[in-house]
Amino acid sequence: MDVTMIGTGKMARGISTRLLVGGHQITLVGHTAGKAESLAAELGAIGKGRIEVAHAGVLGGEVVFLAVPYAAAQSVVAKYRERLKGKVLVDITNPMNFQTLEPTSPDNISGAEGLAKLLPDTTQVIKAFNTVFSRTLPEGQKAGQVLDVFIAGDDAEEKAKVSRLIESGGMRLIDTGPLKRARQLEASGLLHVALQSQVNGGYSTAFKLII
């Protein structure tokens, strides 16, 4: 599958690693000179996939990952709004203040739902990867257990596309239901961050649903 990755930070690197293992094609969109090129060179030999750098902010493919901090998410969505028509936008952000560990999402809705309100009706927003830490993604597992990736979204067909990306990268998909469930996922993401100081986790822990 053709995927666009907006962002070049740790989460973009980790998710891209899993997608390359799954054999997908990634186009990187960066906003700092040279960072996308450096990341593409770093990850170019991983898996069976292919990674390249976008030119002139082109958003190709069916699925676009929003791998930027939540504080930048609205401006990025506004910038690419028209080019996101008809695509799936995977929102991985956690709307929180990392200093106070308090949520910063709009009142009564999730950050993902807030972003969806800014986008065309033909853009489907899927919440995913916000409960996963970047340090666990290169291996795709923790303590011998594959990573669980919890997702939420309203369109079954579009969720199926994201599901294929997750599972082809060796991770386990947990579908939590409609996009409004992003409220609980974002609360879980905040909790996961807050727990690090309590368990000395070093941002290398993982949430696992045992069935």
Side-chain angles (χ1 to χ4, degrees), residues 17 41 90 98 107-108 202:
T17 298
V90 181
F98 283 82
D107 291 340
N108 302 317

Side-chain angles (χ1 to χ4, degrees), residues 167-184:
E167 291 172 343
S168 66
M171 298 168 288
R172 186 174 72 156
L173 164 81
I174 305 291
D175 186 347
T176 67
L179 187 61
K180 67 181 181 180
R181 289 288 171 249
R183 303 170 196 180
Q184 287 76 46

Side-chain angles (χ1 to χ4, degrees), residues 5 11 22 33 41 60 66-67 72 83 102 114-115 119 152 166 171 180 182 186 193 207:
M5 185 72 61
M11 284 299 292
L66 184 64
R83 281 172 275 184
E102 293 293 333
L115 293 177
L119 289 162
I166 291 168
M171 298 168 288
K180 67 181 181 180
E186 290 174 0
V193 170
F207 278 167

Side-chain angles (χ1 to χ4, degrees), residues 6 8 15 36 90 95 97-98 140 148 150 153 179 200 207-209:
I6 301 178
T8 55
I15 295 170
V90 181
N97 183 317
F98 283 82
D148 283 348
F150 299 85
L179 187 61
N200 195 27
F207 278 167
K208 185 69 179 176
L209 179 63

Side-chain angles (χ1 to χ4, degrees), residues 88-91 110 112-113 116 123-130 149-163 166 173-186:
V88 181
L89 181 69
V90 181
D91 169 31
S110 64
E113 291 170 286
T123 305
Q124 290 292 325
V125 176
I126 306 292
K127 191 75 183 186
F129 284 98
N130 75 295
V149 180
F150 299 85
I151 75 169
D154 293 331
D155 188 288
E157 183 177 345
E158 305 298 15
K159 276 201 288 189
K161 293 177 183 177
V162 179
S163 299
I166 291 168
L173 164 81
I174 305 291
D175 186 347
T176 67
L179 187 61
K180 67 181 181 180
R181 289 288 171 249
R183 303 170 196 180
Q184 287 76 46
L185 291 184
E186 290 174 0

Side-chain angles (χ1 to χ4, degrees), residues 55-71:
H55 298 286
V58 174
L59 302 185
E62 306 170 66
V63 179
V64 178
F65 279 79
L66 184 64
V68 300
Y70 178 74

